[in-house]
Amino acid sequence: MLNRVFICVWFTCIALVASIHAADCNSISLYSSDNPSPGFLKSSTFPENPEWKANWGILGDMKPPYIRFSGQQNQTKNWKAVISFSQMPIYASDGFLELKIRTTQKAQIKIALEQKEWNGSSYSFFLEGNQTQNLQIPVSSIVSKTSSLVEGISIELVQVPAYQYITLFIDDISFSCIATSSRAN
């Protein structure tokens, strides 16, 4: 009986110490249907300018407004946009980049975090046409190990076929569970 009490007290102490030393889990919403604050383009090779508050109805888990990129070109090539928001730059070395994404055609997509003087890893995946995907990408997998100052989000469609009109929708962009959300001065 005394042994059971000791074990119970031991686990309670461990849980208490763990809760005291647990890191804060901060989240920063950059864009959502509840807060559709337009971002700005740092660069773009998409054929058309983005629509920052698009409304094509409810698209799976996406509720308007959302960001829309689209276009068509006469040659097969990659289309890339680097988007920044008013909350940026953000210090983020852990946690997750979360967003909802959808295309009108099947596409390969690469997502990366833009940092000064660093072109790093990207998260690459295939997306079926007309299906919304909720992404949760570990920041540590796409950020430089020497710097964690994120200045923008890069979204790239890979090898878009010639003469194919394609639309890309993005919504609910946020960083979740980042250790620090300090804004650079």
Side-chain angles (χ1 to χ4, degrees):
M1 179 71 172
L2 186 57
N3 195 21
R4 286 185 192 162
V5 171
F6 177 74
I7 290 173
C8 191
V9 169
W10 176 253
F11 281 122
T12 303
C13 289
I14 289 174
L16 182 62
V17 168
S19 68
I20 290 171
H21 293 289
D24 289 336
C25 184
N26 297 314
S27 295
I28 298 174
S29 175
L30 302 176
Y31 184 96
S32 71
S33 55
D34 295 331
N35 180 24
S37 56
F40 63 92
L41 289 178
K42 294 182 81 163
S43 65
S44 179
T45 59
F46 276 79
E48 299 175 7
N49 288 328
E51 184 179 352
W52 294 104
K53 295 182 181 180
N55 184 350
W56 284 29
I58 296 174
L59 303 173
D61 291 343
M62 291 180 144
K63 295 178 183 155
Y66 30 74
I67 302 168
R68 179 182 71 89
F69 285 92
S70 58
Q72 173 181 305
Q73 291 188 337
N74 62 0
Q75 57 185 313
T76 298
K77 61 190 300 186
N78 292 4
W79 299 354
K80 180 179 177 181
V82 179
I83 307 169
S84 190
F85 295 92
S86 61
Q87 300 92 329
M88 293 178 148
I90 294 173
Y91 286 103
S93 59
D94 56 3
F96 299 93
L97 169 64
E98 296 182 349
L99 59 105
K100 293 177 183 171
I101 194 163
R102 180 183 182 104
T103 57
T104 53
Q105 308 290 329
K106 182 177 181 176
Q108 181 181 0
I109 299 174
K110 289 183 180 179
I111 297 176
L113 296 177
E114 292 289 315
Q115 298 174 271
K116 253 187 192 173
E117 301 174 9
W118 188 74
N119 294 326
S121 304
S122 62
Y123 176 79
S124 183
F125 64 100
F126 285 93
L127 184 62
E128 292 296 323
N130 295 316
Q131 292 183 6
T132 301
Q133 187 164 349
N134 298 325
L135 298 178
Q136 188 178 53
I137 305 166
V139 170
S140 61
S141 69
I142 55 176
V143 72
S144 165
K145 303 301 179 213
T146 59
S147 172
S148 56
L149 184 62
V150 177
E151 296 182 339
I153 300 170
S154 167
I155 299 175
E156 182 175 11
L157 295 180
V158 179
Q159 294 296 293
V160 178
Y163 302 105
Q164 178 175 315
Y165 192 89
I166 189 167
T167 302
L168 168 72
F169 301 98
I170 309 163
D171 194 14
D172 294 333
I173 305 168
S174 65
F175 285 95
S176 66
C177 277
I178 56 177
T180 177
S181 59
S182 299
R183 185 168 181 220
N185 294 325

